[in-house]
């Protein structure tokens, strides 16, 4: 996929792996939306990355937030060619039976539902155009469970499974799907 002049949407773009992805994509000539729940953090990162970076607020757990972010980004940068579902949360080491239901639900909402919401928001347009690519960030914990990270491992196994299924589903439409571990 030739990246020059195309548009990427990176969740968790305000820092860490997301900011690194954004920087690498800008180096390859893309316009990049750094989507993050912390808009100020995303704006600071976008300012560092220059004119091809744009910050947008998103709560990956909320469908309406996705719709608003998509509309805002596409109005300014055009259709999204590359979606990087990167936003995620983890915890300190914690036994699964000591993980509160509320914390478990939050991990699943951000790490699993957040990825699904991105797919739901952008995949239909990519299918209709017959091109695009989706990258979902998992973890080695999505391949090999690690004690004291049971909730996180469960969420990343879900991302791995969802991505593998999506790759099969979108291939006939010319849309690529990858997992970042």
């Amino acid at each position: 996929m030739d990246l020059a002049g195309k548009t990427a949407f990176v969740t968790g773009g305000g820092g860490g792996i997301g900011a690194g992805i954004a920087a690498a994509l800008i180096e390859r000539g893309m316009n990049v939306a750094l989507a993050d729940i912390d808009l100020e953090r995303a704006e600071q990162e976008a300012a560092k990355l220059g004119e091809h970076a744009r910050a947008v607020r998103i709560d990956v757990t909320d469908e309406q937030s996705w719709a608003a972010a998509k509309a805002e980004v596409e109005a300014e940068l055009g259709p999204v060619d590359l979606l990087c579902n990167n936003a995620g949360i983890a915890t300190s080491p914690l036994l699964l039976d000591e993980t509160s239901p509320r914390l478990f639900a939050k991990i699943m909402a951000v790490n699993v539902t957040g990825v699904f919401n991105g797919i739901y928001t952008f995949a239909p347009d990519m299918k209709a155009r017959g091109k695009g690519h989706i990258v979902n960030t998992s973890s080695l914990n999505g391949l090999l469970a690690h004690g004291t990270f049971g909730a996180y491992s469960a969420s990343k196994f879900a991302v791995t499974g969802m991505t593998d299924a999506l790759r099969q589903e979108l291939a006939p439409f010319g849309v690529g799907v990858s997992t970042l571990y």
Side-chain angles (χ1 to χ4, degrees), residues 7-177:
T7 299
F9 189 100
V10 181
T11 66
I17 294 169
I21 291 170
L25 295 173
I26 288 170
E27 285 177 15
R28 285 159 183 81
M30 292 194 87
N31 297 307
V32 180
L34 286 76
D36 205 288
I37 196 162
D38 185 341
L39 180 58
E40 184 177 329
R41 184 177 180 207
E43 288 172 336
Q44 290 171 356
E45 193 61 39
K48 290 182 210 172
L49 294 174
E51 67 181 304
H52 294 285
R54 188 207 188 299
V56 62
R57 186 186 183 287
I58 194 166
D59 174 352
V60 297
T61 68
D62 179 32
E63 290 175 55
Q64 296 306 316
S65 184
W66 274 97
K70 177 185 181 206
E72 185 178 336
V73 167
E74 290 190 340
E76 186 173 330
L77 302 176
V80 169
D81 301 290
L82 175 62
L83 168 63
C84 297
N85 280 313
N86 175 70
I89 59 172
T91 64
S92 301
L94 185 62
L95 299 175
L96 193 54
D97 68 332
E98 295 175 2
T99 302
S100 72
R102 184 176 179 184
L103 178 58
F104 185 86
K106 181 177 180 180
I107 291 168
M108 291 298 168
V110 173
N111 295 359
V112 180
T113 304
V115 170
F116 170 79
N117 285 340
I119 294 163
Y120 183 79
T121 301
F122 287 104
D125 290 348
M126 290 180 181
K127 284 171 53 177
R129 290 191 316 267
K131 63 182 179 177
H133 201 95
I134 297 172
V135 178
N136 296 328
T137 300
S138 184
S139 166
L140 290 179
N141 285 55
L143 294 171
L144 179 64
H146 182 73
T148 70
F149 289 96
Y152 179 76
S153 291
S155 73
K156 293 304 183 173
F157 266 87
V159 169
T160 298
M162 195 167 25
T163 305
D164 289 350
L166 185 66
R167 183 179 305 108
Q168 295 170 31
E169 294 170 359
L170 295 185
F173 297 95
V175 178
V177 179

